[in-house]
Amino acid sequence: MTTASPTELAPDAVEPHATPSPSTERARRRRERRRARRRQQARIASRIALSAVLVVGLVTFIRSGRSGDAHDASAVKPTPTTARGLLPAVLAQRDAAGAITAVSVLAPGSGSDGHLILVPPGTMTELPSYGLDAVGRSFQLGGAPLLRAALENLLGVNLEHIDVIDDASLTALVAAGPLRVHVDSQVEQVEPSGLVNVLWPVGDTDLLPGDVPRFLAERGQQNDLARLVRHHAFWKAWLARLHADPALLPRLPGLEDVTPAIAALAKGSVQYATLPVEALDGGGGDQVYRVRQSELDALLEVALPRKVALGAEGRTRVQLLNGTGVVAEAQQVAQRLLPAGFRIVVTANAKSFSYRETQVVFYRREQQAAATRVQRALGVGKLVRSRQPLDVVDVTVVVGSDFKG
């Protein structure tokens, strides 16, 4: 069978073609030349019009791009000082051994009001790779990254700006002369022999810059919650001094993150709070505290801007199990999960260290969406549904060797 062409399929569509006379032929050629010239002119005109449209469009695009860039620069990318001044910052005081003795969360408000929240160093939270421990020990165990992970895990907020300060830097920070502070309860020092010395009695006192570290750190016979009342008194006096004379706040190397937040708080009124906790029996005289979660949630709702909250949909509780044996693996996983809004409630080792593929385990069908978000934050992992119910966590991550921190 042969295939016919379209002409062969419709032979009647071809009309007979008569032979023209010479005069008729000359007239036809003139008409063809005129049509050819008109077509040539039309093509030229079309090209000119098309070129004009392209030029106008290109100019419009460039102008809009420039104006868009200017808008983005002012609305989306504020100056570093403005960005830091409006975001929470943490000033942590450490002793000579590296233990954190005070944690102050500075939260300037979008208007004139701000908040300052003091975190008792003995507050218990899950430290990735180390388990349940006090916030104050995080810096000794893993430096500033672990301190940040501990605080973000505890508070559920983004804390990019953390400065850890020693006694010498604290003295330099408050170096602008004596500071009048009201002492509600006397500050004591307990000698190894048991003898109690009163360092600062009740009432107004003038603190020299070199006295500030000891004034804030000395515990005496009090617990940390009573000691933090003294911190409130110091912050109130110091911010009032800076409000009257902002030039007294020095710009010190290593404190670039927290200084703008201090300056912003000093401009307006400040609401002071201590993290809501209850005392636990830590054994051996240790002062440890458990967060009262509902009160903390209410405090953070007021004190911290919503834009820095992690997990606006509710923080998914995650258990991290090390399935590779790599030291500090959970810290690397936490750096992926905490900014994505997850809360790490348990860290431990898996039953073996031979997991090649990371497993993201969920327990109920309604938890699958959260498990998928965990998988997406990690960038690896296989979703697994466990038939064994587990109420204390929502998702378990068994870290395999495919995870690259």
Side-chain angles (χ1 to χ4, degrees):
M1 177 179 177
T2 60
T3 302
S5 68
T7 302
E8 292 171 336
L9 292 175
D12 294 336
V14 180
E15 296 181 357
H17 185 67
T19 301
S21 65
S23 61
T24 304
E25 181 65 17
R26 285 193 297 271
R28 186 187 67 79
R29 288 178 180 174
R30 285 195 296 270
R31 289 194 300 271
E32 287 293 334
R33 285 195 294 270
R34 286 196 295 270
R35 283 197 292 266
R37 283 195 298 270
R38 286 195 294 268
R39 286 196 295 269
Q40 180 75 8
Q41 292 170 352
R43 284 195 294 269
I44 293 173
S46 297
R47 290 173 182 171
I48 293 173
L50 180 60
S51 299
V53 170
L54 291 175
V55 169
V56 171
L58 181 60
V59 171
T60 302
F61 175 77
I62 292 174
R63 289 179 175 175
S64 64
R66 288 177 177 172
S67 63
D69 291 342
H71 175 74
D72 289 345
S74 61
V76 180
K77 298 179 180 178
T79 61
T81 300
T82 301
R84 289 181 176 179
L86 292 178
L87 289 178
V90 174
L91 181 63
Q93 182 185 354
R94 67 177 179 88
D95 61 17
I100 298 298
T101 60
V103 177
S104 303
V105 180
L106 316 177
S110 56
S112 60
D113 292 337
H115 291 78
L116 192 149
I117 303 173
L118 299 178
V119 180
T123 304
M124 303 296 287
T125 189
E126 191 71 19
L127 305 184
S129 296
Y130 296 96
L132 187 65
D133 210 329
V135 168
R137 277 183 41 82
S138 59
F139 187 78
Q140 290 175 299
L141 296 172
L146 186 58
L147 173 61
R148 174 183 175 180
L151 290 172
E152 287 187 338
N153 197 35
L154 175 68
L155 302 177
V157 295
N158 181 13
L159 296 171
E160 295 181 14
H161 310 309
I162 296 181
D163 286 332
V164 179
I165 194 170
D166 59 14
D167 289 353
S169 297
L170 179 57
T171 300
L173 189 63
V174 297
L179 185 67
R180 175 61 61 94
V181 177
H182 182 76
V183 180
D184 284 328
S185 59
Q186 64 185 20
V187 182
E188 303 166 338
Q189 178 193 32
V190 181
E191 300 283 357
S193 62
L195 180 65
V196 177
N197 298 319
V198 176
L199 302 178
W200 285 277
V202 174
D204 292 338
T205 187
D206 291 325
L207 280 181
L208 296 174
D211 292 333
V212 171
R214 189 179 187 186
F215 177 81
L216 296 178
E218 197 66 57
R219 183 184 295 173
Q221 300 182 91
Q222 298 177 325
N223 62 21
D224 264 345
L225 297 182
R227 183 174 64 90
L228 293 183
V229 174
R230 212 182 309 148
H231 282 245
H232 284 297
F234 162 76
W235 276 106
K236 289 177 182 178
W238 188 39
L239 291 178
R241 169 76 65 82
L242 296 178
H243 179 80
D245 189 354
L248 294 177
L249 179 63
R251 304 288 174 172
L252 301 178
L255 296 179
E256 296 87 356
D257 284 335
V258 74
T259 303
I262 296 174
L265 284 180
K267 291 179 180 178
S269 61
V270 180
Q271 301 295 320
Y272 297 86
T274 298
L275 201 73
V277 295
E278 57 186 14
L280 300 173
D281 183 6
D286 292 338
Q287 297 182 19
V288 294
Y289 302 94
R290 176 173 56 202
V291 169
R292 296 198 292 265
Q293 192 62 48
S294 60
E295 295 179 36
L296 173 60
D297 293 341
L299 171 63
L300 297 179
E301 181 72 22
V302 175
L304 294 176
R306 188 176 298 275
K307 64 181 178 181
V308 301
L310 302 175
E313 300 175 356
R315 300 178 69 197
T316 299
R317 302 167 300 171
V318 178
Q319 174 181 223
L320 293 184
L321 302 180
N322 187 339
T324 66
V326 176
V327 177
E329 183 97 89
Q331 290 186 56
Q332 300 178 34
V333 176
Q335 290 174 3
R336 301 278 187 90
L337 296 183
L338 290 175
F342 300 101
R343 179 186 176 195
I344 299 170
V345 295
V346 179
T347 57
N349 290 328
K351 293 181 179 180
S352 75
F353 292 148
S354 59
Y355 282 85
R356 294 185 177 181
E357 184 177 23
T358 299
Q359 295 186 6
V360 182
V361 184
F362 63 99
Y363 303 92
R364 298 189 301 274
R365 189 173 301 278
E366 58 267 26
Q367 296 170 332
Q368 183 171 354
T372 301
R373 292 197 300 271
V374 170
Q375 180 191 44
R376 190 180 305 121
L378 293 176
V380 296
K382 177 178 68 175
L383 291 181
V384 177
R385 183 180 179 186
S386 173
R387 299 295 181 181
Q388 299 178 350
L390 194 61
D391 293 331
V392 294
V393 300
D394 304 309
V395 175
T396 293
V397 175
V398 184
V399 185
S401 58
D402 59 342
F403 174 78
K404 307 300 180 184

